[in-house]
Amino acid sequence: MAAPEEHPTELPECPSLGGGGLLPAELRAWMLLMAATGAVEQRLRAVVKEKLDVSHDEFLVLCLLAEQPEGGLRMTRVAELLGRPKTRLTYQIACLQHAGLVTRRSVCGDRRGVEVALTDKARSLLEEASAPLSETVTESLARFMGPDQYAAMRGLVPDLAEESRTE
């Protein structure tokens, strides 16, 4: 997290945290999560462009492919997981392929199926960029939420909850 002197310990609370408004608690919590996500994305876009020279949406494709244990994913599955129209994804994949970051190949036994996978170049770039990207996310969240909210957010994600117990 960011150094304590960089950010006041008493962060102003998000107006939706106080309750008493018209929205139910679940919707207030969702709005807080969306605001935190927006804050992270805003700062991350510049770092992604600087370190990887790809758009934020292309970065999301790379991250999704990087999480695959081996091989790649079908384009239809990538579109489904990212909630993107297939036509938009086709353009993004073409840009990533042109940059040498992904490969496309036909799926055996399915004339229309196309699988996308990371190249070694993409894996290297992601490894090199992982520390600055991680710092950007951590700093963005620290500016937006206090330690209790940050801990609660980490607890929502199983891998992060496990990491925080070992830190």
Side-chain angles (χ1 to χ4, degrees), residues 45-81:
R45 286 179 193 277
V47 177
V48 164
K49 189 66 177 167
E50 177 191 332
K51 300 291 181 188
L52 302 171
D53 196 29
V54 297
S55 72
H56 183 72
D57 286 344
E58 292 165 353
F59 171 66
L60 295 178
V61 172
L62 294 176
C63 288
L64 183 60
L65 294 173
E67 289 298 304
Q68 302 312 304
E70 55 186 66
L73 284 174
R74 283 176 167 245
M75 293 261 298
T76 53
R77 184 66 177 145
V78 173
E80 179 183 283
L81 290 170

Side-chain angles (χ1 to χ4, degrees), residues 124-147:
S124 294
L125 280 173
L126 286 170
E127 282 180 30
E128 291 171 21
S130 65
L133 292 169
S134 179
E135 288 171 21
T136 300
V137 170
T138 301
E139 289 171 6
S140 297
L141 290 174
R143 286 190 170 102
F144 189 81
M145 53 178 65

Side-chain angles (χ1 to χ4, degrees), residues 56-133:
H56 183 72
D57 286 344
E58 292 165 353
F59 171 66
L60 295 178
V61 172
L62 294 176
C63 288
L64 183 60
L65 294 173
E67 289 298 304
Q68 302 312 304
E70 55 186 66
L73 284 174
R74 283 176 167 245
M75 293 261 298
T76 53
R77 184 66 177 145
V78 173
E80 179 183 283
L81 290 170
L82 294 177
R84 302 281 191 271
K86 286 187 267 185
T87 52
R88 182 171 168 196
L89 180 64
T90 299
Y91 174 77
Q92 291 169 340
I93 296 295
C95 291
L96 291 169
Q97 187 176 21
H98 180 74
L101 301 174
V102 299
T103 59
R104 284 195 276 197
R105 66 182 177 98
S106 297
V107 176
C108 186
D110 183 355
R111 290 183 321 162
R112 296 177 59 197
V114 175
E115 186 177 85
V116 184
L118 290 181
T119 62
D120 290 338
K121 176 182 176 181
R123 290 184 190 285
S124 294
L125 280 173
L126 286 170
E127 282 180 30
E128 291 171 21
S130 65
L133 292 169

